[in-house]
Amino acid sequence: MLMSSQSSPPRLETDPTRISNEQFVNVARGLQVDEAVLRAIAQVESAGSGFIRAGRPKVLFEGHAFYRLTGGRFGESNISYRKWTKKYYSSPDGEWVRLEAACKLDRPAALQSASWGMVQIMGFNYSYCGYADVEEFVAAQCDTADRQFGGFARSISRP
C-alpha cells in the first residue's frame, strides 16, 4: 500500500545487535572521551557486534574462573580446570554449549565465569556494571548492544 501524502514516513528501526550512534555519543560525553576511542574499543573487542545472532550474545566461557568460583567441586573437565588454557575454547556456538553445561551444575557460578557481549565483560563484574545480580547482568547482555555498552560505560566510570 502506498502512503498518502499526509502519512508519516515509516520509522526505521535500529539494529539491536549494533551500538547506536546515539549511544556512542552519549557514552563519549558521559565519560569525557573521544567517540572514536569508544568505537575502536567496540571494534577490537568484538569485531563490531556483541552478538552471534539476535538474543544470543557472544560469550567466552572461562573454565578456570568456574573452577575458582565453585572451589573445584566439579573436578577437572572441559568446563572446570585449575589454570587458564586455550585448549577447550571453541566456536561461538561451542562456547554456549560449555556455558550451558556449566549452568546445569551451578548456574550463578557459570554465568559469572563467562565474558559477555560487545566488550567481553566477565560475569563476576556484574556489580561494577550497575547490576544487582548476575542474572540481571546477563539479561542486559542478551537484550541489545546499547545495553551491553551501557554496562561497559558504567564499569569504567566508577571510582
Side-chain angles (χ1 to χ4, degrees):
M1 174 167 41
L2 296 173
M3 293 187 328
S4 73
S5 61
Q6 296 182 354
S7 330
S8 59
R11 183 170 177 256
L12 296 176
E13 295 296 323
T14 59
D15 179 354
T17 66
R18 301 282 180 187
I19 301 170
S20 67
N21 287 328
E22 181 182 19
Q23 180 76 324
F24 275 120
V25 169
N26 290 340
V27 170
R29 278 190 197 131
L31 295 175
Q32 299 177 355
V33 299
D34 192 317
E35 184 181 331
V37 171
L38 296 176
R39 288 182 183 276
I41 290 169
Q43 183 62 36
V44 168
E45 285 295 319
S46 62
S49 177
F51 292 85
I52 57 175
R53 57 184 161 277
R56 188 155 254 200
K58 288 181 180 176
V59 298
L60 187 60
F61 185 74
E62 303 281 359
H64 64 287
F66 187 69
Y67 186 94
R68 179 180 50 81
L69 289 169
T70 61
R73 73 179 183 270
F74 300 111
E76 299 243 358
S77 68
N78 71 327
I79 61 170
S80 179
Y81 38 88
R82 289 180 193 273
K83 295 187 183 214
W84 180 89
T85 179
K86 65 181 180 178
K87 175 166 107 173
Y88 301 115
Y89 293 129
S90 183
S91 66
D93 285 323
E95 290 302 300
W96 271 95
V97 169
R98 292 183 339 117
L99 173 61
E100 289 165 349
C103 280
K104 290 176 183 173
L105 299 174
D106 185 327
R107 182 175 172 85
L111 298 178
Q112 291 179 68
S113 298
S115 59
W116 294 85
M118 176 66 66
V119 293
Q120 292 294 285
I121 297 172
M122 288 296 296
F124 56 71
N125 289 315
Y126 66 84
S127 65
Y128 293 113
C129 299
Y131 298 102
D133 57 42
V134 72
E135 292 286 348
E136 184 181 18
F137 169 81
V138 168
Q141 297 301 303
C142 293
D143 189 26
T144 65
D146 280 356
R147 288 196 65 201
Q148 289 177 358
F149 209 63
F152 162 70
R154 286 187 298 279
S155 76
I156 63 173
S157 68
R158 298 175 69 87

